[in-house]
Amino acid sequence: MTNASWLDKLGQQLKIDIACMDPAEAKRFLPFKSHDQTSNQRLVYEQMVSPENRDLFLKTVKEGKDEGWEVILDRMSALLCAKNIDNLQGRVLLQSSAFHAYDTEKVVAQARSYAREFEEAGISKDRICIKIPSTGPALNASPILLKEGIRTLGTSIFSVVQAIAASQAGCLSISPYYNYSKNTNSVQWSSVRAGNPAGWDRHDPAADIGPSAYWSTLG
């Protein structure tokens, strides 16, 4: 009988996700199957340029050369998720473009594109989730997508107000960011590390409007 680690014990109590799209690394990081696999554009890029995925990338580009680079990127993103799906218990997540943060229609369109590519890759809607920015226009996309069986995660959350709005919009979950700014000549953002809560006492202007007022901006 092997000795269980604290990570094993934690895995019995919580759903532990992994921020990694490399199947080999995913197996190495955790002694058990993680729940969900989160990702972002940087993680997708890292796998796209990886030598192990060169043939897949060239094949995808060749087949989609007449469909445009955005379709190729969405397709490649879904195919990379498919490579790791067997190492997961739950969902794979892809993130909508930050360029569409204030355009509801474009957020919906990209989420639908992801869903189509996932389906082609053999991944059903109950195993996917699309990360969308927690802005008013982007969160407006969540109820639309929910009716189509596409779940969303509200990301780029910097306040409780945004978290409440994401919940009211029907998001499956959220990704809060714990950051602080320094009022120097330029604004600097830094992660607040455990045990070093500098900046936590700074006022959050989003809290002034309250959740009801914030939700009214969502339409």
Side-chain angles (χ1 to χ4, degrees), residues 62-83:
K62 182 178 180 179
E63 292 177 350
K65 61 183 176 65
D66 296 325
E67 299 178 77
W69 69 267
E70 290 176 309
V71 172
I72 293 173
L73 179 58
D74 290 351
R75 184 168 301 159
M76 189 67 189
S77 300
L79 290 172
L80 290 171
C81 287
K83 293 185 64 176

Side-chain angles (χ1 to χ4, degrees), residues 21-52:
M21 300 183 73
D22 184 337
E25 288 293 290
K27 291 180 180 179
R28 185 175 68 84
F29 281 144
L30 296 174
F32 49 80
K33 283 188 176 183
S34 61
H35 189 69
D36 294 341
Q37 171 199 278
T38 189
S39 70
N40 53 40
Q41 280 75 7
R42 179 182 65 82
L43 293 177
V44 170
Y45 172 76
E46 287 178 352
Q47 290 305 303
M48 283 178 60
V49 300
S50 171
E52 289 81 0

Side-chain angles (χ1 to χ4, degrees), residues 164-204:
I164 293 173
S167 175
Q168 292 175 330
C171 290
L172 178 66
S173 54
I174 61 173
S175 287
Y177 288 7
Y178 295 94
N179 298 323
Y180 72 96
S181 63
K182 292 181 178 180
N183 294 321
T184 57
N185 292 332
S186 62
V187 176
Q188 299 175 349
W189 293 94
S190 302
S191 296
V192 177
R193 300 180 182 276
N196 181 26
W200 284 9
D201 60 343
R202 296 183 184 275
H203 178 64
D204 179 1

Side-chain angles (χ1 to χ4, degrees), residues 101-102 132-142 154-171 174 204-219:
Y102 294 93
I132 62 175
S134 294
T135 62
L139 287 178
N140 270 332
S142 186
T155 189
S156 301
I157 287 181
F158 297 92
S159 69
V160 174
V161 172
Q162 286 177 285
I164 293 173
S167 175
Q168 292 175 330
C171 290
I174 61 173
D204 179 1
D208 293 336
I209 62 175
S212 297
Y214 186 87
W215 178 246
S216 69
T217 68
L218 305 184

Side-chain angles (χ1 to χ4, degrees), residues 39-41 44 73-74 77 93-112 114 129-135 137-139 141 145 152-156 177:
S39 70
N40 53 40
Q41 280 75 7
V44 170
L73 179 58
D74 290 351
S77 300
L93 288 83
L94 288 176
Q95 184 166 296
S96 64
S97 173
F99 287 111
H100 305 331
Y102 294 93
D103 191 319
T104 303
E105 292 183 0
K106 288 185 177 180
V107 172
V108 170
Q110 186 170 20
R112 287 171 175 166
Y114 278 145
C129 185
I130 310 303
K131 298 168 67 174
I132 62 175
S134 294
T135 62
L139 287 178
L145 296 169
T152 57
L153 174 148
T155 189
S156 301
Y177 288 7

